[in-house]
């Protein structure tokens, strides 16, 4: 008999009917307190050797319907090795995909999950690194701690680099990116990291939305708040995660800010800058361009031809983290987006965009930061 379950860390699916393996009917669930849906993560059991066809019947009502075009589901038998299935079919409303499982249990997810246990292991690695310390900034609405990893020493004359990831909890690639960046930064035999830590102290929030992550939300926290629309006026009830991080940024000052995300639709790695924010000068543009050129040199996965169209300035823009930080601190402040699908300029047929590639991009980013911070 076929069973489908999702009662685990970041699990998310609604089952309509799984009695016939060739016609498994599913729905993408909404975030717990907001009407965003796209993330899924569930286990199918009892279908070894059977040709399964699974269908998300409400894919057309997801947050980014265009995200299903050319999308390939991520799957794993052992929860360690994740691979891409063949491209599914999207008809504008339903997204369906096929697999004949090799084993009794198979996990499916929108992208490789980054669980809370792994988050705790990431904190353990920070505590074990001589250059890093872990702080608890305060409590989330569900009572989880909001963790900050500090790498290097805060000292007069040192620059302050802030990096936050997973404001949108379904964008797990953002935490893999941070993992790769931190691992390199802890490496005392790496000259790039050593030079960076001479110049700067790193303040890294590896998961800005712990509640949404564990609950299996796509975009919001336990209160239904989109944290990346809360930076202008955060509050301790609906967006304590932003209020707490903002308070610490004000205390330390910010010289560089990176906000790490995943994009459901565009098959590219790109950044979104501040060209549309009042006060943006040619000097700011030159600084953004210098960072982009250095990141392009450090990683062929990064590109600058494709990205978001520059929008006209509205007040809402300052509710976004990187825009608010630029406006407040006047520093280099960027949103970095990785794809859920693949990098169309350097595709990988087996894995698409993956956790491993996100980690490598994180590590490569240190090279680009050195180019903008190091001994000019
Ligand atoms: Zn995002």
């Amino acid at each position: 008999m076929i069973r489908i379950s999702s009662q685990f860390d970041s699990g998310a699916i609604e089952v309509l009917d799984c009695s016939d393996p060739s016609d498994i009917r599913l729905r993408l669930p909404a975030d717990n307190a907001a009407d965003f849906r796209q993330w899924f993560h569930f286990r199918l059991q009892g279908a070894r050797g059977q040709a399964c066809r699974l269908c998300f019947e409400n894919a057309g009502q997801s947050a980014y319907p265009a995200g299903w075009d050319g999308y390939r589901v991520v799957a794993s038998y052992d929860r360690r090795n994740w691979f891409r299935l063949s491209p599914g079919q999207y008809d504008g409303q339903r997204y369906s995909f096929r697999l004949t499982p090799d084993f009794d249990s198979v996990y499916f997810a929108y992208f490789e999950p980054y669980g809370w246990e792994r988050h705790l292991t990431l904190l353990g690695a920070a505590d074990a690194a001589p250059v890093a310390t872990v702080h608890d900034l305060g409590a989330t609405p569900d009572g989880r701690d909001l963790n900050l990893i500090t790498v290097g020493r805060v000292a007069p004359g040192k620059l302050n680099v802030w990096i936050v990831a997973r404001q949108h909890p379904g964008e797990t690639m953002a935490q893999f990116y941070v993992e790769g960046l931190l691992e390199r930064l802890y490496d005392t035999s790496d000259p790039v990291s050593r030079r960076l830590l001479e110049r700067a102290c790193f303040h890294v929030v590896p998961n800005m939305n712990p509640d949404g992550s564990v609950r299996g939300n796509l975009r919001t926290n336990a209160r239904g708040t989109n944290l990346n629309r809360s930076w202008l006026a955060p509050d301790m009830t609906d967006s304590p995660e932003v209020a707490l991080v903002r308070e610490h940024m004000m205390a330390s000052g910010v010289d560089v800010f990176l906000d790490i995300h995943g994009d459901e639709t565009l098959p590219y790695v790109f950044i979104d800058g501040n060209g549309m924010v009042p006060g943006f000068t040619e000097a700011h543009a030159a600084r953004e361009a210098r960072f982009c050129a250095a990141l392009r040199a450090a990683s062929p996965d990064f590109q600058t031809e494709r990205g978001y169209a520059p929008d006209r300035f509205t007040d809402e823009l300052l509710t976004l983290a990187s825009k608010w930080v630029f406006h407040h601190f006047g520093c280099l402040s960027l949103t970095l987006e990785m794809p859920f699908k693949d990098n169309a300029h350097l595709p990988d047929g087996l894995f698409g965009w993956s956790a491993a590639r996100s980690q490598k991009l994180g590590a490569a980013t240190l090279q680009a930061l050195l180019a903008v911070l190091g001994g000019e």
Side-chain angles (χ1 to χ4, degrees), residues 329-375:
F329 295 99
C331 64
L332 178 67
S333 176
L334 302 168
T335 304
L336 185 141
E337 299 275 356
M338 288 170 277
F340 272 90
K341 296 173 181 171
D342 199 352
N343 171 9
H345 286 160
L346 195 56
D348 179 330
L350 207 49
F351 298 107
W353 189 257
S354 62
R357 292 173 80 182
S358 308
Q359 290 168 324
K360 296 230 182 311
L361 183 69
T365 300
L366 293 182
Q367 191 94 35
L369 287 173
L370 185 63
V372 291
L373 294 180

Side-chain angles (χ1 to χ4, degrees), residues 64 167-168 171 218-219 228 260-264 308 335 337:
Y64 301 94
Q167 292 200 78
H168 297 142
E171 297 162 9
L218 175 76
R219 236 172 131 66
N228 202 28
I260 314 303
H261 287 257
D263 187 275
E264 289 79 356
Y308 296 142
T335 304
E337 299 275 356

